[in-house]
């Protein structure tokens, strides 16, 4: 039987707005998500036993049932026991390139790649929306990671409307090596601080009024690069920047050089900047690195 090697690209949030509470306890969100070239590689190999094994040499990535890639494989094994019996178990090897707990959806990207890969390996013939429906049970970012590209994500992040591809941009990413932020902490702290301003789940009018993602979606539709840069937004910065001074410093370092815009991605601590060319990206890298010594990635 064949083996598969898949790329699992990271995402950044060009826009992240918290609208209110949902009856299921999650937050109601409006996000614009963009996949980037930074990616893990996932190797899937059939094994003789009917088990699922995960290998990853990154110290922060659990090599067991807590791994989202494992949970994706286990989900398909439970949904399709005949395929597991016919094709046998799977070894998942994760070659980590995406920083962990960095607001780049590394775990979700791995789960998405495993769903897509096992669908091929076991010849399940699932459609993209069937894979996304399964993915949504694993994590809110998994459906987007299956589709990739540029999309408006609503609900808890699982309802997707594709947007035109963004071209002509370079993304510069930077992160302090030993800094990570828990997504759960970021959302819980946001709820503690701003929960009293949330729209109640049943008040659709309040929700419509709160939503401000329209101008960003319009700027993307018109490919207006400087407007996209100006409209970058992330509500979670309100809780992360006051606590994580390094993230604030990094954002300021990006903003002090000429970029279209800079923002923390997701729950952080990765900060990204949008620039118009590779030459501009290299210039930004050199200037930020001379101020702060830390890993920087350039894509696009
Ligand atoms: P998100 O923005 O989707 O919440 P993130 O990018 O901030 O996620 P991840 O890199 O997905 O964060 O890691 C979050 C946590 O998930 C880590 O603490 C890590 O131990 C755990 N984890 C489980 N499976 C994986 C995986 N395959 N890759 C990375 N982390 C994983």
């Amino acid at each position: 039987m064949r083996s598969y090697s898949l790329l699992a690209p990271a995402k950044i949030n060009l826009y992240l707005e918290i609208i209110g509470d949902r009856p299921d306890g999650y937050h109601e969100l409006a996000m614009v998500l963009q996949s980037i070239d930074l990616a893990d590689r996932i190797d899937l190999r059939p094994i003789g036993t009917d088990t699922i094994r995960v290998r990853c040499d990154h110290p922060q990535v659990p090599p067991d049932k807590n791994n989202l890639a494992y949970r994706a494989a286990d989900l398909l094994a439970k949904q399709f026991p005949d395929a597991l019996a016919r094709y046998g178990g799977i070894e998942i090897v994760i070659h980590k390139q995406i920083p962990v707990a960095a607001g780049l959806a590394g775990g979700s990207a791995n789960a998405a790649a495993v769903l897509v890969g096992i669908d091929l390996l076991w010849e399940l013939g699932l459609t993209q929306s069937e894979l996304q429906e399964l993915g949504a049970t694993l994590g809110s970012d998994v459906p987007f990671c299956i589709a990739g590209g540029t999309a408006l994500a609503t609900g808890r992040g699982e309802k997707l409307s594709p947007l035109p591809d963004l071209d002509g941009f370079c993304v510069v990413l930077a992160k302090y090596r030993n800094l990570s932020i828990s997504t759960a902490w970021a959302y819980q702290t946001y709820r503690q601080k701003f929960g009293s301003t949330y729209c109640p789940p049943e008040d659709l009018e309040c929700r419509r009024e709160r939503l401000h993602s329209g101008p960003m979606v319009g700027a993307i539709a018109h490919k207006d690069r400087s407007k996209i840069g100006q409209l970058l937004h992330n509500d979670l910065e309100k809780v992360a920047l006051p606590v994580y001074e390094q993230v604030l410093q990094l954002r300021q370092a990006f903003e002090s050089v000429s970029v279209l815009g800079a923002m923390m991605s997701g729950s952080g601590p990765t900060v990204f900047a949008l620039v118009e060319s590779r030459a501009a990206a290299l210039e930004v890298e050199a200037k930020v690195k001379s101020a702060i010594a830390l890993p920087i990635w350039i894509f696009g």
Side-chain angles (χ1 to χ4, degrees):
M1 213 202 326
R2 303 172 73 152
S3 297
Y4 283 90
S5 191
L6 299 103
L7 283 179
K11 62 87 190 147
I12 54 172
N13 298 73
L14 301 176
Y15 192 89
L16 191 164
E17 190 179 11
I18 298 177
I19 308 295
D21 267 326
R22 293 164 52 92
D24 60 13
Y26 285 92
H27 279 96
E28 180 81 21
L29 304 171
M31 302 190 285
V32 175
L33 302 172
Q34 172 67 51
S35 49
I36 57 173
D37 291 345
L38 174 64
D40 293 338
R41 203 182 82 227
I42 306 287
D43 294 336
L44 296 178
R45 189 174 69 85
I47 49 176
T49 61
D50 63 352
T51 51
I52 298 159
R53 275 205 307 252
V54 176
R55 283 204 287 129
C56 180
D57 56 13
H58 192 295
Q60 280 172 275
V61 176
D64 54 23
K65 296 184 176 188
N66 295 313
N67 195 301
L68 264 181
Y70 178 98
R71 290 179 44 213
D74 189 50
L75 176 67
L76 288 182
K78 294 213 164 91
Q79 293 274 325
F80 302 98
D82 294 350
L84 177 67
R86 181 162 170 214
Y87 292 98
I90 291 169
E91 181 181 62
I92 303 164
V93 183
I94 303 171
H95 303 272
K96 260 286 155 209
Q97 299 296 323
I98 305 172
V100 176
L104 299 171
S108 303
N110 293 176
V114 167
L115 291 176
V116 170
I118 294 182
D119 176 55
L120 294 170
L121 205 62
W122 288 355
E123 301 176 289
L124 297 173
L126 296 170
T127 62
Q128 180 167 294
S129 59
E130 286 168 335
L131 288 169
Q132 286 175 318
E133 213 171 297
L134 287 167
T137 67
L138 298 167
S140 307
D141 285 339
V142 179
F144 171 76
C145 292
I146 290 171
T150 312
L152 174 68
T154 53
R156 58 186 172 89
E158 85 291 8
K159 285 188 203 144
L160 300 173
S161 309
L163 293 171
D165 272 342
L166 279 186
D167 38 30
F169 268 123
C170 246
V171 177
V172 185
L173 289 184
K175 177 187 171 290
Y176 276 90
R177 206 182 295 273
N178 294 320
L179 187 64
S180 53
I181 298 182
S182 144
T183 304
W185 171 86
Y187 279 101
Q188 276 160 19
T189 311
Y190 194 91
R191 179 175 274 121
Q192 278 159 18
K193 272 194 159 178
F194 302 106
S196 60
T197 69
Y198 285 4
C199 293
E202 66 285 357
D203 191 343
L204 297 180
E205 191 53 39
C206 170
R207 286 169 179 241
R208 259 193 299 275
E209 277 169 20
R210 278 286 285 271
L211 199 58
H212 297 103
S213 55
M216 173 59 100
V217 170
I220 291 172
H222 292 105
K223 299 193 182 291
D224 185 338
R225 290 204 281 268
S226 59
K227 211 163 197 178
I228 293 169
Q230 288 160 22
L231 291 170
L232 295 175
H233 176 81
N234 184 349
D235 272 340
L236 292 176
E237 284 198 338
K238 292 180 208 159
V239 291
L241 299 191
V243 175
Y244 294 94
E245 202 184 319
Q246 288 161 307
V247 180
L248 177 63
Q249 275 170 5
L250 191 46
R251 198 182 181 299
Q252 287 169 340
F254 271 138
E255 278 175 339
S256 69
V257 294
S258 74
V259 297
L260 292 168
M263 186 63 46
M264 182 178 85
S265 182
S267 52
T270 305
V271 176
F272 67 91
L274 297 181
V275 294
E276 279 191 280
S277 66
R278 192 157 178 87
L282 290 169
E283 210 173 300
V284 168
E285 179 190 28
K287 284 184 179 157
V288 171
K289 267 196 161 161
S290 72
I292 311 170
L294 78 181
I296 289 190
W297 300 263
I298 296 178
F299 302 99

